[in-house]
């Protein structure tokens, strides 16, 4: 019960964050357009412009990656899978979800992904294969 309520709170946080990111991204795009339509100045201006351009696009990249993670988490909420690890299907502890509301992978699997360099998807396949083997061993 407490977990469901906590998840509803997180949903509100995620929706707010998503809307904020969307407008930030819209703002960044207009900024990039402004930089590009400007008359070319001297070399220093050009260097500054390109540096600024790079910073904005890096920022936009981080923001759109976060936005994608948030959309993904909200999708899982709609499907009723939110809070379950995408790899091992275990419950992700509330403490982790509170710290990172768009986390869809538990800490153990996240560490495994970082250690092996595998994607969540290939790691899940490995976990599934390993549990199939266990079942065979048991029977
Ligand atoms: Zn996991």
């Amino acid at each position: 019960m407490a977990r469901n309520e906590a998840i509803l709170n997180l949903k509100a946080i995620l929706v707010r964050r998503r809307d904020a990111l969307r407008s930030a991204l819209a703002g960044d795009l207009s900024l990039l357009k402004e930089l590009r339509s400007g008359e070319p100045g001297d070399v220093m201006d050009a260097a500054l412009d390109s540096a600024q351009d790079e910073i904005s696009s890096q920022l936009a990249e981080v923001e759109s990656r976060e936005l994608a993670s948030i959309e993904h988490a909200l999708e899982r909420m709609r499907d009723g899978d939110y809070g379950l690890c995408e790899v091992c299907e275990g419950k992700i502890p509330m403490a982790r979800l509170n710290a990172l509301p768009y986390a869809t992978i538990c800490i153990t699997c996240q560490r495994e992904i970082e250690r092996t360099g595998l994607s969540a998807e290939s790691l899940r396949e490995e976990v599934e294969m390993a549990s199939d083997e266990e079942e065979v061993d048991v029977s």
Side-chain angles (χ1 to χ4, degrees):
M1 153 230 144
R3 189 175 163 92
N4 284 345
E5 276 172 31
I7 285 175
L8 278 178
N9 279 337
L10 290 179
K11 186 179 181 176
I13 290 169
L14 283 172
V15 168
R16 266 202 303 273
R17 180 89 186 145
R18 181 193 62 192
D19 293 346
L21 278 173
R22 275 183 181 163
S23 33
L25 278 168
D28 276 348
L29 286 179
S30 64
L31 184 71
L32 283 176
K33 273 183 202 159
E34 258 177 48
L35 285 171
R36 287 202 183 112
S37 65
E39 286 289 307
D42 61 23
V43 178
M44 195 56 202
D45 277 349
L48 275 175
D49 277 357
S50 73
Q52 224 175 330
D53 219 36
E54 210 172 293
I55 290 163
S56 308
S57 65
Q58 272 174 9
L59 193 69
E61 201 189 306
V62 170
E63 282 169 346
S64 44
R65 217 181 302 143
E66 191 187 342
L67 187 59
S69 306
I70 290 174
E71 305 268 22
H72 184 58
L74 287 171
E75 222 169 85
R76 289 181 67 82
M77 277 184 183
R78 273 195 298 273
D79 295 344
D81 299 333
Y82 180 79
L84 298 178
C85 174
E86 281 187 293
V87 176
C88 67
E89 287 168 17
K91 268 190 187 177
I92 302 173
M94 260 346 276
R96 173 160 168 82
L97 293 175
N98 283 326
L100 198 68
Y102 50 77
T104 54
I105 293 167
C106 77
I107 271 192
T108 313
C109 294
Q110 184 64 51
R111 287 210 183 111
E112 197 60 12
I113 285 169
E114 277 158 23
R115 191 181 65 82
T116 57
L118 290 169
S119 68
E121 214 169 296
S122 8
L123 188 62
R124 188 180 54 217
E125 275 165 23
E126 270 196 13
V127 168
E128 273 168 11
M129 256 171 14
S131 65
D132 281 352
E133 276 163 28
E134 270 167 41
E135 276 164 31
V136 168
D137 285 345
V138 167
S139 65

